Amino acid sequence: MIENQITEKVIGCAIKVHQNLGPGLLESAYQECLFYELKKEGLKVEKEKPLPLIYEDVKLECGYRLDLLVEDTIIVEIKSVEALNDIHLAQVLTYLKLNNSRIGLLINFNVLQLVKGLKRVINKYKN
């Protein structure tokens, strides 16, 4: 399955979760429901995947965790905030770089229409 097909499925599942739950819940609730929907779609999904930081030749366990990693390719970062801002985007870009991934989805469920809380993020410098 190619990246665009995976992101379409993730977005479709996120819309379904948002339609059923609406805005105003904790990130963890959306994460669990989205994880469930993605698994139901037959996608390989890892939740709270540890993400080490490698500095020079040292692997540092800094406590970074990916909300969801779909098909070993797409990083999904879930938020439930008033508005997405630059720090949220920077977080996803950093995760993409550390995981050597190309595509990330930043999803803010705390909006009336999910399309207004969705950003597709591309790591132009993937190794």
Side-chain angles (χ1 to χ4, degrees):
M1 190 177 310
I2 60 172
E3 291 170 332
N4 286 340
Q5 291 172 319
I6 298 167
T7 57
E8 282 178 23
K9 283 191 172 211
V10 172
I11 292 167
C13 289
I15 289 170
K16 183 176 181 182
V17 168
H18 189 265
Q19 286 173 338
N20 283 308
L21 299 178
L25 300 176
L26 296 174
E27 290 173 15
S28 57
Y30 297 113
Q31 181 184 27
E32 287 298 325
C33 293
L34 184 54
F35 177 77
Y36 169 78
E37 287 295 336
L38 293 169
K39 293 291 260 183
K40 216 166 74 169
E41 282 289 317
L43 294 169
K44 177 184 176 194
V45 187
E46 294 177 80
K47 179 175 47 170
E48 294 293 324
K49 181 178 174 158
L51 184 62
L53 172 64
I54 299 174
Y55 180 77
E56 294 185 353
D57 293 329
V58 180
K59 183 178 179 180
L60 306 167
E61 298 297 334
C62 297
Y64 295 117
R65 294 189 178 277
L66 303 176
D67 285 346
L68 299 172
L69 181 63
V70 183
E71 294 289 324
D72 297 317
T73 307
I74 308 298
I75 293 174
V76 179
E77 181 63 24
I78 297 169
K79 300 293 180 195
S80 182
V81 293
E82 186 174 327
L84 293 175
N85 58 43
D86 291 344
I87 196 68
H88 300 123
L89 182 59
Q91 179 185 14
V92 175
L93 285 169
T94 298
Y95 288 173
L96 289 170
K97 181 180 173 186
L98 291 176
N99 199 58
N100 195 29
S101 294
R102 195 172 90 78
I103 305 279
L105 291 173
L106 177 57
I107 305 173
N108 180 18
F109 281 90
N110 197 32
V111 291
L112 293 177
Q113 293 178 317
L114 193 65
V115 70
K116 293 182 180 176
L118 181 63
K119 288 194 183 290
R120 188 171 191 261
V121 183
I122 299 173
N123 177 10
K124 297 177 188 174
Y125 306 104
K126 181 182 179 291
N127 296 336

